[in-house]
Amino acid sequence: MIVQEGPALIDELVREGARRMLAQALQAEVDDYITRHSNERDAHGRRLVVRNGSHEPREVVTAAGAVAVRAPRVDDRRIDPATGERRRFSSAILPSWCRRTPKITEVLPLLYLHGLSSGDFVPALGQFLGSNAGLSSSTVTRLTETWKTEQQAFSHRDLSGVDYVYVWAEGIHVTIGLAEHKLCLLVLIGVRADGHKELVALVDGYRESTESWADLLRDCARRGMRAPVLAVGDGALGFWGALREVFPETREQRCWVHKTANVLAALPKSAHPGAKKALTEIWNVEDKHKALDAVTCFDAAYGAKFGKAVAKVRDDLDELLAFYDFPAEHWQYLRTTNPIESTFATVRHRTRVTRGPGSRTAGLAMAFKLIEAAQDRWRAVNGPHLVALVRAGAVFEAGRLVERPDDHTHTEAA
């Protein structure tokens, strides 16, 4: 007898464990359903809800691979008085239509944006999961068309009922083997007044031009979006020019991750460790006054030899330090565009172009599904109750709420 060793045996053990756990969960779900209706009987005293064998076995593609499932069956003889039809038991764990878990559905957009065509999905996932069950090319094509429809509906939804107090903006360049220019996704993610983050807008722009960003922001405004209190983005001039046109009252915050990279690019590598530490002293201190002192120290240390590097900080100083005027609980979110960067981290750094032309509309739909899946795991910002105060115009000094700003101003003047 040949004994399996190594990864193959581990994969088989994982799938077997998943199969048993799923079987137990389905059985417990059916037992609970039958128990809850055990007192319902017909005129002859017989139960109306009983176990009735098992369904035909089927394979479900899960994160653990292809798992064989034989779901228990329920005989429910009760009549729905509203419709006059027989009631049916429907498993919440494993619906009758389910052939793959949602996790696999999340993988498909990622593979597309990595450069795989729909025809490549089946062999790629089949090798990974150990089975091609439920993953035909036609299935992938149907999913793609559904996602396109969902993305278009999302792009036309009414925004008047949602208040985005903060927004992050970023242009994501994705190479998916397009015959034309590579896809440039203009992404807008916001923080609602209740502190929760969500996708605001996603469009296919022409690079990161001012006009493309202006079209996006004007469309949001037409659909009822209020001007955010603060917008966070990198130094790309396209977005800021559009923001000043459409939402001129919105304050600007430059991303410190992008700014640090730009500053270091103007310095020799030997100076990078010290410069990084000096830049950290600007954005990671107790208040804006100490940050300004740190800027002076950075200027003194590098200004004489590397004036261009210091100018990159000085020229955008107000926008780099804007976050200090907001609650300290929010500083870690407002300093960078990390909510967008982290979502696309596995996609945007891909440089190799795979064979086969991709579709811009499909690429946009896949990006939408990728963010939608990631959105379910986003946490609310720290101090969510403070977001509404920011919208109301509350004053914060050194990250703390100033209860009576007028009295505070008079005291300082005295």
Side-chain angles (χ1 to χ4, degrees), residues 164 166-170 186-192 196-202 213 225 230-232 337-344 371 375 378:
Y164 298 109
Y166 303 132
V167 295
W168 295 276
E170 181 70 287
L186 303 184
V187 187
L188 209 63
I189 291 176
V191 177
R192 304 191 310 244
H196 285 84
K197 293 172 283 190
E198 70 178 23
L199 179 65
V200 180
L202 173 69
W213 276 114
M225 178 178 170
L230 181 72
V232 186
T337 54
N338 184 62
I340 298 177
E341 294 285 336
S342 58
T343 300
F344 284 92
I371 298 180
Q375 188 171 262
W378 289 345

PDB file of all heavy atoms in Angstrom, residues 164 166-170 186-192 196-202 213 225 230-232 337-344 371 375 378:
ATOM      1  N   TYR A 164     -20.612  61.535   3.721  1.00  0.00           N
ATOM      2  CA  TYR A 164     -19.205  61.140   3.818  1.00  0.00           C
ATOM      3  C   TYR A 164     -18.404  62.318   4.358  1.00  0.00           C
ATOM      4  O   TYR A 164     -18.244  63.341   3.680  1.00  0.00           O
ATOM      5  CB  TYR A 164     -18.677  60.705   2.445  1.00  0.00           C
ATOM      6  CG  TYR A 164     -19.405  59.508   1.890  1.00  0.00           C
ATOM      7  CD1 TYR A 164     -20.267  59.632   0.798  1.00  0.00           C
ATOM      8  CD2 TYR A 164     -19.250  58.247   2.464  1.00  0.00           C
ATOM      9  CE1 TYR A 164     -20.941  58.533   0.292  1.00  0.00           C
ATOM     10  CE2 TYR A 164     -19.925  57.147   1.961  1.00  0.00           C
ATOM     11  CZ  TYR A 164     -20.769  57.296   0.888  1.00  0.00           C
ATOM     12  OH  TYR A 164     -21.444  56.206   0.380  1.00  0.00           O
ATOM     13  N   TYR A 166     -15.112  62.128   5.690  1.00  0.00           N
ATOM     14  CA  TYR A 166     -13.754  62.012   5.164  1.00  0.00           C
ATOM     15  C   TYR A 166     -13.807  61.186   3.876  1.00  0.00           C
ATOM     16  O   TYR A 166     -14.629  60.271   3.758  1.00  0.00           O
ATOM     17  CB  TYR A 166     -12.827  61.275   6.135  1.00  0.00           C
ATOM     18  CG  TYR A 166     -12.701  61.851   7.524  1.00  0.00           C
ATOM     19  CD1 TYR A 166     -12.824  61.039   8.653  1.00  0.00           C
ATOM     20  CD2 TYR A 166     -12.408  63.202   7.725  1.00  0.00           C
ATOM     21  CE1 TYR A 166     -12.678  61.542   9.937  1.00  0.00           C
ATOM     22  CE2 TYR A 166     -12.270  63.713   9.001  1.00  0.00           C
ATOM     23  CZ  TYR A 166     -12.407  62.882  10.107  1.00  0.00           C
ATOM     24  OH  TYR A 166     -12.264  63.391  11.377  1.00  0.00           O
ATOM     25  N   VAL A 167     -12.899  61.473   2.951  1.00  0.00           N
ATOM     26  CA  VAL A 167     -12.752  60.610   1.772  1.00  0.00           C
ATOM     27  C   VAL A 167     -11.268  60.407   1.478  1.00  0.00           C
ATOM     28  O   VAL A 167     -10.447  61.297   1.720  1.00  0.00           O
ATOM     29  CB  VAL A 167     -13.454  61.173   0.505  1.00  0.00           C
ATOM     30  CG1 VAL A 167     -14.952  61.225   0.690  1.00  0.00           C
ATOM     31  CG2 VAL A 167     -12.893  62.528   0.111  1.00  0.00           C
ATOM     32  N   TRP A 168     -10.945  59.233   0.962  1.00  0.00           N
ATOM     33  CA  TRP A 168      -9.612  58.949   0.433  1.00  0.00           C
ATOM     34  C   TRP A 168      -9.753  58.809  -1.086  1.00  0.00           C
ATOM     35  O   TRP A 168     -10.690  58.174  -1.563  1.00  0.00           O
ATOM     36  CB  TRP A 168      -9.051  57.644   0.986  1.00  0.00           C
ATOM     37  CG  TRP A 168      -8.793  57.637   2.455  1.00  0.00           C
ATOM     38  CD1 TRP A 168      -7.684  58.100   3.106  1.00  0.00           C
ATOM     39  CD2 TRP A 168      -9.642  57.097   3.484  1.00  0.00           C
ATOM     40  NE1 TRP A 168      -7.797  57.894   4.466  1.00  0.00           N
ATOM     41  CE2 TRP A 168      -8.988  57.284   4.713  1.00  0.00           C
ATOM     42  CE3 TRP A 168     -10.892  56.486   3.472  1.00  0.00           C
ATOM     43  CZ2 TRP A 168      -9.546  56.869   5.923  1.00  0.00           C
ATOM     44  CZ3 TRP A 168     -11.460  56.082   4.664  1.00  0.00           C
ATOM     45  CH2 TRP A 168     -10.779  56.278   5.884  1.00  0.00           C
ATOM     46  N   ALA A 169      -8.811  59.366  -1.804  1.00  0.00           N
ATOM     47  CA  ALA A 169      -8.829  59.288  -3.262  1.00  0.00           C
ATOM     48  C   ALA A 169      -7.506  58.723  -3.762  1.00  0.00           C
ATOM     49  O   ALA A 169      -6.442  59.061  -3.235  1.00  0.00           O
ATOM     50  CB  ALA A 169      -9.066  60.669  -3.868  1.00  0.00           C
ATOM     51  N   GLU A 170      -7.588  57.851  -4.760  1.00  0.00           N
ATOM     52  CA  GLU A 170      -6.372  57.242  -5.298  1.00  0.00           C
ATOM     53  C   GLU A 170      -6.624  56.771  -6.716  1.00  0.00           C
ATOM     54  O   GLU A 170      -7.729  56.328  -7.061  1.00  0.00           O
ATOM     55  CB  GLU A 170      -5.954  56.062  -4.425  1.00  0.00           C
ATOM     56  CG  GLU A 170      -4.680  55.345  -4.846  1.00  0.00           C
ATOM     57  CD  GLU A 170      -3.430  56.169  -4.625  1.00  0.00           C
ATOM     58  OE1 GLU A 170      -3.255  57.122  -5.420  1.00  0.00           O
ATOM     59  OE2 GLU A 170      -2.659  55.871  -3.706  1.00  0.00           O
ATOM     60  N   LEU A 186     -10.061  55.043 -10.816  1.00  0.00           N
ATOM     61  CA  LEU A 186     -10.172  56.170  -9.902  1.00  0.00           C
ATOM     62  C   LEU A 186     -11.079  55.729  -8.757  1.00  0.00           C
ATOM     63  O   LEU A 186     -12.261  55.440  -8.968  1.00  0.00           O
ATOM     64  CB  LEU A 186     -10.747  57.394 -10.609  1.00  0.00           C
ATOM     65  CG  LEU A 186      -9.975  57.872 -11.852  1.00  0.00           C
ATOM     66  CD1 LEU A 186     -10.602  59.151 -12.393  1.00  0.00           C
ATOM     67  CD2 LEU A 186      -8.505  58.067 -11.552  1.00  0.00           C
ATOM     68  N   VAL A 187     -10.511  55.652  -7.561  1.00  0.00           N
ATOM     69  CA  VAL A 187     -11.208  55.068  -6.413  1.00  0.00           C
ATOM     70  C   VAL A 187     -11.443  56.136  -5.354  1.00  0.00           C
ATOM     71  O   VAL A 187     -10.537  56.905  -5.013  1.00  0.00           O
ATOM     72  CB  VAL A 187     -10.395  53.918  -5.793  1.00  0.00           C
ATOM     73  CG1 VAL A 187     -11.206  53.219  -4.706  1.00  0.00           C
ATOM     74  CG2 VAL A 187      -9.967  52.926  -6.865  1.00  0.00           C
ATOM     75  N   LEU A 188     -12.657  56.169  -4.832  1.00  0.00           N
ATOM     76  CA  LEU A 188     -13.021  57.085  -3.755  1.00  0.00           C
ATOM     77  C   LEU A 188     -13.658  56.259  -2.633  1.00  0.00           C
ATOM     78  O   LEU A 188     -14.676  55.604  -2.847  1.00  0.00           O
ATOM     79  CB  LEU A 188     -14.008  58.138  -4.272  1.00  0.00           C
ATOM     80  CG  LEU A 188     -14.021  59.514  -3.609  1.00  0.00           C
ATOM     81  CD1 LEU A 188     -12.675  60.201  -3.805  1.00  0.00           C
ATOM     82  CD2 LEU A 188     -15.133  60.369  -4.206  1.00  0.00           C
ATOM     83  N   ILE A 189     -13.030  56.278  -1.468  1.00  0.00           N
ATOM     84  CA  ILE A 189     -13.557  55.579  -0.295  1.00  0.00           C
ATOM     85  C   ILE A 189     -13.842  56.615   0.781  1.00  0.00           C
ATOM     86  O   ILE A 189     -13.038  57.538   0.988  1.00  0.00           O
ATOM     87  CB  ILE A 189     -12.562  54.522   0.225  1.00  0.00           C
ATOM     88  CG1 ILE A 189     -12.448  53.369  -0.779  1.00  0.00           C
ATOM     89  CG2 ILE A 189     -12.977  53.985   1.593  1.00  0.00           C
ATOM     90  CD1 ILE A 189     -11.421  52.311  -0.401  1.00  0.00           C
ATOM     91  N   GLY A 190     -14.966  56.490   1.451  1.00  0.00           N
ATOM     92  CA  GLY A 190     -15.365  57.503   2.429  1.00  0.00           C
ATOM     93  C   GLY A 190     -15.637  56.943   3.807  1.00  0.00           C
ATOM     94  O   GLY A 190     -15.807  55.737   3.988  1.00  0.00           O
ATOM     95  N   VAL A 191     -15.675  57.847   4.774  1.00  0.00           N
ATOM     96  CA  VAL A 191     -16.084  57.518   6.137  1.00  0.00           C
ATOM     97  C   VAL A 191     -17.420  58.196   6.382  1.00  0.00           C
ATOM     98  O   VAL A 191     -17.525  59.429   6.307  1.00  0.00           O
ATOM     99  CB  VAL A 191     -15.052  57.996   7.182  1.00  0.00           C
ATOM    100  CG1 VAL A 191     -15.549  57.713   8.599  1.00  0.00           C
ATOM    101  CG2 VAL A 191     -13.707  57.321   6.959  1.00  0.00           C
ATOM    102  N   ARG A 192     -18.437  57.394   6.654  1.00  0.00           N
ATOM    103  CA  ARG A 192     -19.766  57.944   6.925  1.00  0.00           C
ATOM    104  C   ARG A 192     -19.794  58.642   8.282  1.00  0.00           C
ATOM    105  O   ARG A 192     -18.880  58.500   9.096  1.00  0.00           O
ATOM    106  CB  ARG A 192     -20.814  56.834   6.906  1.00  0.00           C
ATOM    107  CG  ARG A 192     -20.854  56.038   5.621  1.00  0.00           C
ATOM    108  CD  ARG A 192     -22.097  55.154   5.579  1.00  0.00           C
ATOM    109  NE  ARG A 192     -22.265  54.373   6.794  1.00  0.00           N
ATOM    110  CZ  ARG A 192     -22.228  53.052   6.856  1.00  0.00           C
ATOM    111  NH1 ARG A 192     -21.992  52.350   5.756  1.00  0.00           N
ATOM    112  NH2 ARG A 192     -22.409  52.415   7.986  1.00  0.00           N
ATOM    113  N   HIS A 196     -18.186  54.429   9.867  1.00  0.00           N
ATOM    114  CA  HIS A 196     -17.896  53.255   9.039  1.00  0.00           C
ATOM    115  C   HIS A 196     -17.391  53.666   7.656  1.00  0.00           C
ATOM    116  O   HIS A 196     -17.838  54.660   7.088  1.00  0.00           O
ATOM    117  CB  HIS A 196     -19.144  52.378   8.904  1.00  0.00           C
ATOM    118  CG  HIS A 196     -19.453  51.598  10.135  1.00  0.00           C
ATOM    119  ND1 HIS A 196     -20.163  52.132  11.192  1.00  0.00           N
ATOM    120  CD2 HIS A 196     -19.130  50.332  10.500  1.00  0.00           C
ATOM    121  CE1 HIS A 196     -20.281  51.216  12.155  1.00  0.00           C
ATOM    122  NE2 HIS A 196     -19.658  50.128  11.761  1.00  0.00           N
ATOM    123  N   LYS A 197     -16.454  52.873   7.140  1.00  0.00           N
ATOM    124  CA  LYS A 197     -15.865  53.131   5.825  1.00  0.00           C
ATOM    125  C   LYS A 197     -16.622  52.364   4.747  1.00  0.00           C
ATOM    126  O   LYS A 197     -17.072  51.244   4.997  1.00  0.00           O
ATOM    127  CB  LYS A 197     -14.392  52.695   5.817  1.00  0.00           C
ATOM    128  CG  LYS A 197     -13.493  53.523   6.713  1.00  0.00           C
ATOM    129  CD  LYS A 197     -12.094  52.952   6.818  1.00  0.00           C
ATOM    130  CE  LYS A 197     -12.044  51.760   7.740  1.00  0.00           C
ATOM    131  NZ  LYS A 197     -10.692  51.317   8.070  1.00  0.00           N
ATOM    132  N   GLU A 198     -16.736  52.954   3.571  1.00  0.00           N
ATOM    133  CA  GLU A 198     -17.347  52.255   2.454  1.00  0.00           C
ATOM    134  C   GLU A 198     -16.916  52.878   1.131  1.00  0.00           C
ATOM    135  O   GLU A 198     -16.471  54.034   1.078  1.00  0.00           O
ATOM    136  CB  GLU A 198     -18.876  52.244   2.562  1.00  0.00           C
ATOM    137  CG  GLU A 198     -19.556  53.572   2.342  1.00  0.00           C
ATOM    138  CD  GLU A 198     -21.063  53.443   2.432  1.00  0.00           C
ATOM    139  OE1 GLU A 198     -21.559  52.495   3.068  1.00  0.00           O
ATOM    140  OE2 GLU A 198     -21.756  54.322   1.867  1.00  0.00           O
ATOM    141  N   LEU A 199     -17.038  52.091   0.084  1.00  0.00           N
ATOM    142  CA  LEU A 199     -16.706  52.564  -1.249  1.00  0.00           C
ATOM    143  C   LEU A 199     -17.718  53.616  -1.688  1.00  0.00           C
ATOM    144  O   LEU A 199     -18.925  53.395  -1.610  1.00  0.00           O
ATOM    145  CB  LEU A 199     -16.704  51.395  -2.237  1.00  0.00           C
ATOM    146  CG  LEU A 199     -16.407  51.724  -3.699  1.00  0.00           C
ATOM    147  CD1 LEU A 199     -14.985  52.251  -3.860  1.00  0.00           C
ATOM    148  CD2 LEU A 199     -16.627  50.497  -4.574  1.00  0.00           C
ATOM    149  N   VAL A 200     -17.216  54.762  -2.153  1.00  0.00           N
ATOM    150  CA  VAL A 200     -18.087  55.837  -2.625  1.00  0.00           C
ATOM    151  C   VAL A 200     -18.234  55.773  -4.139  1.00  0.00           C
ATOM    152  O   VAL A 200     -19.332  55.825  -4.682  1.00  0.00           O
ATOM    153  CB  VAL A 200     -17.527  57.219  -2.223  1.00  0.00           C
ATOM    154  CG1 VAL A 200     -18.448  58.333  -2.729  1.00  0.00           C
ATOM    155  CG2 VAL A 200     -17.356  57.306  -0.713  1.00  0.00           C
ATOM    156  N   ALA A 201     -17.100  55.662  -4.833  1.00  0.00           N
ATOM    157  CA  ALA A 201     -17.139  55.671  -6.299  1.00  0.00           C
ATOM    158  C   ALA A 201     -15.945  54.913  -6.856  1.00  0.00           C
ATOM    159  O   ALA A 201     -14.878  54.864  -6.242  1.00  0.00           O
ATOM    160  CB  ALA A 201     -17.154  57.102  -6.824  1.00  0.00           C
ATOM    161  N   LEU A 202     -16.161  54.319  -8.026  1.00  0.00           N
ATOM    162  CA  LEU A 202     -15.103  53.602  -8.742  1.00  0.00           C
ATOM    163  C   LEU A 202     -15.381  53.742 -10.226  1.00  0.00           C
ATOM    164  O   LEU A 202     -16.415  53.290 -10.719  1.00  0.00           O
ATOM    165  CB  LEU A 202     -15.103  52.115  -8.338  1.00  0.00           C
ATOM    166  CG  LEU A 202     -14.156  51.203  -9.127  1.00  0.00           C
ATOM    167  CD1 LEU A 202     -12.709  51.538  -8.798  1.00  0.00           C
ATOM    168  CD2 LEU A 202     -14.445  49.738  -8.827  1.00  0.00           C
ATOM    169  N   TRP A 213     -11.013  63.127 -12.895  1.00  0.00           N
ATOM    170  CA  TRP A 213     -11.415  63.264 -11.492  1.00  0.00           C
ATOM    171  C   TRP A 213     -12.607  64.209 -11.360  1.00  0.00           C
ATOM    172  O   TRP A 213     -13.516  63.969 -10.557  1.00  0.00           O
ATOM    173  CB  TRP A 213     -10.251  63.778 -10.652  1.00  0.00           C
ATOM    174  CG  TRP A 213      -9.305  62.718 -10.176  1.00  0.00           C
ATOM    175  CD1 TRP A 213      -7.993  62.553 -10.535  1.00  0.00           C
ATOM    176  CD2 TRP A 213      -9.591  61.669  -9.241  1.00  0.00           C
ATOM    177  NE1 TRP A 213      -7.447  61.472  -9.880  1.00  0.00           N
ATOM    178  CE2 TRP A 213      -8.409  60.913  -9.076  1.00  0.00           C
ATOM    179  CE3 TRP A 213     -10.726  61.300  -8.528  1.00  0.00           C
ATOM    180  CZ2 TRP A 213      -8.332  59.809  -8.233  1.00  0.00           C
ATOM    181  CZ3 TRP A 213     -10.650  60.195  -7.677  1.00  0.00           C
ATOM    182  CH2 TRP A 213      -9.473  59.463  -7.537  1.00  0.00           C
ATOM    183  N   MET A 225     -24.204  63.847  -3.287  1.00  0.00           N
ATOM    184  CA  MET A 225     -23.123  63.792  -2.307  1.00  0.00           C
ATOM    185  C   MET A 225     -22.785  65.180  -1.788  1.00  0.00           C
ATOM    186  O   MET A 225     -22.620  66.134  -2.548  1.00  0.00           O
ATOM    187  CB  MET A 225     -21.879  63.160  -2.949  1.00  0.00           C
ATOM    188  CG  MET A 225     -20.680  63.091  -2.027  1.00  0.00           C
ATOM    189  SD  MET A 225     -19.280  62.271  -2.831  1.00  0.00           S
ATOM    190  CE  MET A 225     -17.960  62.620  -1.656  1.00  0.00           C
ATOM    191  N   LEU A 230     -12.829  66.611   4.813  1.00  0.00           N
ATOM    192  CA  LEU A 230     -11.411  66.429   4.512  1.00  0.00           C
ATOM    193  C   LEU A 230     -11.248  65.353   3.453  1.00  0.00           C
ATOM    194  O   LEU A 230     -11.904  64.310   3.509  1.00  0.00           O
ATOM    195  CB  LEU A 230     -10.644  66.019   5.775  1.00  0.00           C
ATOM    196  CG  LEU A 230      -9.129  65.822   5.619  1.00  0.00           C
ATOM    197  CD1 LEU A 230      -8.431  67.173   5.452  1.00  0.00           C
ATOM    198  CD2 LEU A 230      -8.549  65.085   6.817  1.00  0.00           C
ATOM    199  N   ALA A 231     -10.371  65.615   2.486  1.00  0.00           N
ATOM    200  CA  ALA A 231     -10.023  64.627   1.464  1.00  0.00           C
ATOM    201  C   ALA A 231      -8.553  64.281   1.611  1.00  0.00           C
ATOM    202  O   ALA A 231      -7.712  65.168   1.814  1.00  0.00           O
ATOM    203  CB  ALA A 231     -10.304  65.167   0.068  1.00  0.00           C
ATOM    204  N   VAL A 232      -8.242  62.985   1.487  1.00  0.00           N
ATOM    205  CA  VAL A 232      -6.882  62.498   1.642  1.00  0.00           C
ATOM    206  C   VAL A 232      -6.432  61.881   0.323  1.00  0.00           C
ATOM    207  O   VAL A 232      -7.158  61.073  -0.265  1.00  0.00           O
ATOM    208  CB  VAL A 232      -6.777  61.442   2.766  1.00  0.00           C
ATOM    209  CG1 VAL A 232      -5.322  61.063   3.012  1.00  0.00           C
ATOM    210  CG2 VAL A 232      -7.431  61.948   4.050  1.00  0.00           C
ATOM    211  N   THR A 337      -3.284  57.147   2.474  1.00  0.00           N
ATOM    212  CA  THR A 337      -4.374  56.564   1.680  1.00  0.00           C
ATOM    213  C   THR A 337      -4.392  55.041   1.856  1.00  0.00           C
ATOM    214  O   THR A 337      -4.813  54.313   0.961  1.00  0.00           O
ATOM    215  CB  THR A 337      -4.198  56.901   0.186  1.00  0.00           C
ATOM    216  OG1 THR A 337      -2.889  56.492  -0.239  1.00  0.00           O
ATOM    217  CG2 THR A 337      -4.368  58.382  -0.072  1.00  0.00           C
ATOM    218  N   ASN A 338      -3.982  54.564   3.009  1.00  0.00           N
ATOM    219  CA  ASN A 338      -3.848  53.127   3.242  1.00  0.00           C
ATOM    220  C   ASN A 338      -5.126  52.328   2.996  1.00  0.00           C
ATOM    221  O   ASN A 338      -5.050  51.189   2.522  1.00  0.00           O
ATOM    222  CB  ASN A 338      -3.358  52.872   4.670  1.00  0.00           C
ATOM    223  CG  ASN A 338      -3.103  51.406   4.930  1.00  0.00           C
ATOM    224  OD1 ASN A 338      -2.259  50.792   4.294  1.00  0.00           O
ATOM    225  ND2 ASN A 338      -3.865  50.836   5.859  1.00  0.00           N
ATOM    226  N   PRO A 339      -6.335  52.836   3.314  1.00  0.00           N
ATOM    227  CA  PRO A 339      -7.537  52.040   3.042  1.00  0.00           C
ATOM    228  C   PRO A 339      -7.648  51.592   1.584  1.00  0.00           C
ATOM    229  O   PRO A 339      -8.157  50.510   1.296  1.00  0.00           O
ATOM    230  CB  PRO A 339      -8.682  52.976   3.429  1.00  0.00           C
ATOM    231  CG  PRO A 339      -8.095  53.847   4.491  1.00  0.00           C
ATOM    232  CD  PRO A 339      -6.666  54.070   4.059  1.00  0.00           C
ATOM    233  N   ILE A 340      -7.181  52.432   0.653  1.00  0.00           N
ATOM    234  CA  ILE A 340      -7.210  52.051  -0.766  1.00  0.00           C
ATOM    235  C   ILE A 340      -5.982  51.224  -1.110  1.00  0.00           C
ATOM    236  O   ILE A 340      -6.067  50.204  -1.802  1.00  0.00           O
ATOM    237  CB  ILE A 340      -7.277  53.303  -1.659  1.00  0.00           C
ATOM    238  CG1 ILE A 340      -8.568  54.083  -1.395  1.00  0.00           C
ATOM    239  CG2 ILE A 340      -7.207  52.919  -3.137  1.00  0.00           C
ATOM    240  CD1 ILE A 340      -8.692  55.370  -2.184  1.00  0.00           C
ATOM    241  N   GLU A 341      -4.820  51.659  -0.638  1.00  0.00           N
ATOM    242  CA  GLU A 341      -3.571  50.977  -0.956  1.00  0.00           C
ATOM    243  C   GLU A 341      -3.613  49.515  -0.533  1.00  0.00           C
ATOM    244  O   GLU A 341      -3.213  48.620  -1.283  1.00  0.00           O
ATOM    245  CB  GLU A 341      -2.395  51.678  -0.260  1.00  0.00           C
ATOM    246  CG  GLU A 341      -2.125  53.083  -0.761  1.00  0.00           C
ATOM    247  CD  GLU A 341      -1.457  53.085  -2.118  1.00  0.00           C
ATOM    248  OE1 GLU A 341      -0.807  52.087  -2.463  1.00  0.00           O
ATOM    249  OE2 GLU A 341      -1.588  54.092  -2.830  1.00  0.00           O
ATOM    250  N   SER A 342      -4.093  49.252   0.691  1.00  0.00           N
ATOM    251  CA  SER A 342      -4.085  47.882   1.194  1.00  0.00           C
ATOM    252  C   SER A 342      -5.026  46.984   0.418  1.00  0.00           C
ATOM    253  O   SER A 342      -4.758  45.797   0.219  1.00  0.00           O
ATOM    254  CB  SER A 342      -4.463  47.877   2.686  1.00  0.00           C
ATOM    255  OG  SER A 342      -5.746  48.459   2.889  1.00  0.00           O
ATOM    256  N   THR A 343      -6.145  47.529  -0.062  1.00  0.00           N
ATOM    257  CA  THR A 343      -7.101  46.737  -0.830  1.00  0.00           C
ATOM    258  C   THR A 343      -6.501  46.259  -2.144  1.00  0.00           C
ATOM    259  O   THR A 343      -6.713  45.121  -2.571  1.00  0.00           O
ATOM    260  CB  THR A 343      -8.373  47.555  -1.102  1.00  0.00           C
ATOM    261  OG1 THR A 343      -8.964  47.941   0.139  1.00  0.00           O
ATOM    262  CG2 THR A 343      -9.371  46.745  -1.909  1.00  0.00           C
ATOM    263  N   PHE A 344      -5.702  47.109  -2.787  1.00  0.00           N
ATOM    264  CA  PHE A 344      -5.136  46.787  -4.096  1.00  0.00           C
ATOM    265  C   PHE A 344      -3.671  46.371  -4.035  1.00  0.00           C
ATOM    266  O   PHE A 344      -3.025  46.253  -5.067  1.00  0.00           O
ATOM    267  CB  PHE A 344      -5.275  47.986  -5.036  1.00  0.00           C
ATOM    268  CG  PHE A 344      -6.667  48.179  -5.577  1.00  0.00           C
ATOM    269  CD1 PHE A 344      -7.558  49.005  -4.918  1.00  0.00           C
ATOM    270  CD2 PHE A 344      -7.086  47.521  -6.715  1.00  0.00           C
ATOM    271  CE1 PHE A 344      -8.847  49.182  -5.396  1.00  0.00           C
ATOM    272  CE2 PHE A 344      -8.367  47.686  -7.205  1.00  0.00           C
ATOM    273  CZ  PHE A 344      -9.251  48.523  -6.553  1.00  0.00           C
ATOM    274  N   ILE A 371     -13.240  45.178  -4.171  1.00  0.00           N
ATOM    275  CA  ILE A 371     -13.448  46.133  -3.081  1.00  0.00           C
ATOM    276  C   ILE A 371     -14.670  45.761  -2.263  1.00  0.00           C
ATOM    277  O   ILE A 371     -14.675  45.875  -1.034  1.00  0.00           O
ATOM    278  CB  ILE A 371     -13.598  47.567  -3.633  1.00  0.00           C
ATOM    279  CG1 ILE A 371     -12.324  47.988  -4.364  1.00  0.00           C
ATOM    280  CG2 ILE A 371     -13.897  48.548  -2.518  1.00  0.00           C
ATOM    281  CD1 ILE A 371     -12.378  49.391  -4.941  1.00  0.00           C
ATOM    282  N   GLN A 375     -14.612  45.216   1.627  1.00  0.00           N
ATOM    283  CA  GLN A 375     -15.403  46.136   2.436  1.00  0.00           C
ATOM    284  C   GLN A 375     -16.067  45.442   3.614  1.00  0.00           C
ATOM    285  O   GLN A 375     -16.249  46.046   4.680  1.00  0.00           O
ATOM    286  CB  GLN A 375     -16.457  46.794   1.536  1.00  0.00           C
ATOM    287  CG  GLN A 375     -17.237  47.908   2.171  1.00  0.00           C
ATOM    288  CD  GLN A 375     -18.090  48.639   1.153  1.00  0.00           C
ATOM    289  OE1 GLN A 375     -17.729  49.684   0.639  1.00  0.00           O
ATOM    290  NE2 GLN A 375     -19.241  48.075   0.829  1.00  0.00           N
ATOM    291  N   TRP A 378     -13.800  45.711   6.597  1.00  0.00           N
ATOM    292  CA  TRP A 378     -13.329  47.015   7.074  1.00  0.00           C
ATOM    293  C   TRP A 378     -13.932  47.334   8.432  1.00  0.00           C
ATOM    294  O   TRP A 378     -15.132  47.160   8.667  1.00  0.00           O
ATOM    295  CB  TRP A 378     -13.719  48.113   6.094  1.00  0.00           C
ATOM    296  CG  TRP A 378     -12.942  48.073   4.812  1.00  0.00           C
ATOM    297  CD1 TRP A 378     -11.795  47.378   4.560  1.00  0.00           C
ATOM    298  CD2 TRP A 378     -13.258  48.761   3.599  1.00  0.00           C
ATOM    299  NE1 TRP A 378     -11.372  47.589   3.274  1.00  0.00           N
ATOM    300  CE2 TRP A 378     -12.247  48.424   2.653  1.00  0.00           C
ATOM    301  CE3 TRP A 378     -14.277  49.620   3.217  1.00  0.00           C
ATOM    302  CZ2 TRP A 378     -12.254  48.932   1.362  1.00  0.00           C
ATOM    303  CZ3 TRP A 378     -14.286  50.122   1.932  1.00  0.00           C
ATOM    304  CH2 TRP A 378     -13.281  49.771   1.018  1.00  0.00           C
TER     305      TRP A 378
END
